[in-house]
Amino acid sequence: MIKRTADGLGTQLRRLLELLDGELEQIYRKDHPFYTPRFTPVMKALSTEKHLTIKAIAERSSVSHSAASQTVAKLSHHGLVELDHDTDRRERKVTLSDDGRALLPWLETRWDATTQAADELDQELSHPLSAILAEAILRLEERGFAERIQSHVSEMEKIA
């Protein structure tokens, strides 16, 4: 794909995600029409623990609390997880249902294949995409994009 002058960083990232997640979703949906890549971080977190709170899922899967909560609700709707309140009813415990546990071997095969495909892509690039993404996330966590933009706006307004 040729970069067009209008293709800013956000446009490129959305296109990359479309190429990655869009095609992965097709693979998932071939056998399980309801399953989307969005479910994977939560399912992976729950695959290693008997039960977790929404907060713990968010922390382990690097998604926001809101995103984890919404994903858990969708997983519950599809019968892959069960929700239970703790004794003081402040936090919900999330557990894989029998259907969720039964789906794990199928998912783990696809997760492993996805990792291998990502490693293959990394080998084909001049710099591994996984390393660049990790570095970009780290730098943006240190100094946010809004702060970076504002500093340039301020400079431009001084010159104008």
Side-chain angles (χ1 to χ4, degrees):
M1 178 176 149
I2 297 173
K3 183 178 186 243
R4 293 177 281 285
T5 55
D7 288 350
L9 183 60
T11 301
Q12 291 175 324
L13 288 171
R14 280 187 288 281
R15 178 67 178 141
L16 178 64
L17 195 55
E18 177 184 301
L19 290 168
L20 296 172
D21 270 4
E23 292 186 17
L24 180 57
E25 187 164 337
Q26 289 175 8
I27 290 168
Y28 286 145
R29 289 189 179 225
K30 191 166 91 176
D31 293 318
H32 294 281
F34 63 88
Y35 196 88
T36 73
R38 175 185 178 170
F39 294 169
T40 295
V42 173
M43 291 295 288
K44 277 187 174 182
L46 289 169
S47 73
T48 62
E49 298 290 335
K50 182 176 178 178
H51 61 269
L52 293 168
T53 63
I54 302 281
K55 180 181 178 183
I57 291 170
E59 289 169 353
R60 290 170 194 230
S61 58
S62 298
V63 299
S64 70
H65 187 279
S66 175
S69 181
Q70 290 171 17
T71 302
V72 164
K74 289 182 185 218
L75 288 168
S76 177
H77 173 76
H78 291 292
L80 297 179
V81 299
E82 297 170 349
L83 304 173
D84 188 25
H85 290 280
D86 65 2
T87 54
D88 65 6
R89 303 193 52 80
R90 283 188 277 172
E91 291 187 321
R92 290 185 296 173
K93 292 180 186 175
V94 183
T95 307
L96 285 177
S97 67
D98 290 342
D99 287 346
R101 281 189 298 282
L103 188 60
L104 282 179
W106 181 87
L107 286 171
E108 288 167 345
T109 297
R110 277 130 194 96
W111 295 340
D112 290 345
T114 301
T115 298
Q116 291 174 12
D119 290 345
E120 179 183 305
L121 178 61
D122 273 352
Q123 294 297 317
E124 295 173 9
L125 300 173
S126 58
H127 301 289
L129 180 60
S130 58
I132 295 296
L133 292 173
E135 185 178 1
I137 290 167
L138 178 65
R139 296 295 175 247
L140 289 169
E141 287 174 345
E142 292 172 350
R143 182 172 175 237
F145 204 49
E147 181 183 337
R148 292 166 188 270
I149 293 168
Q150 190 55 51
S151 71
H152 290 285
V153 167
S154 296
E155 283 298 314
M156 292 171 161
E157 288 176 344
K158 286 179 188 174
I159 295 171

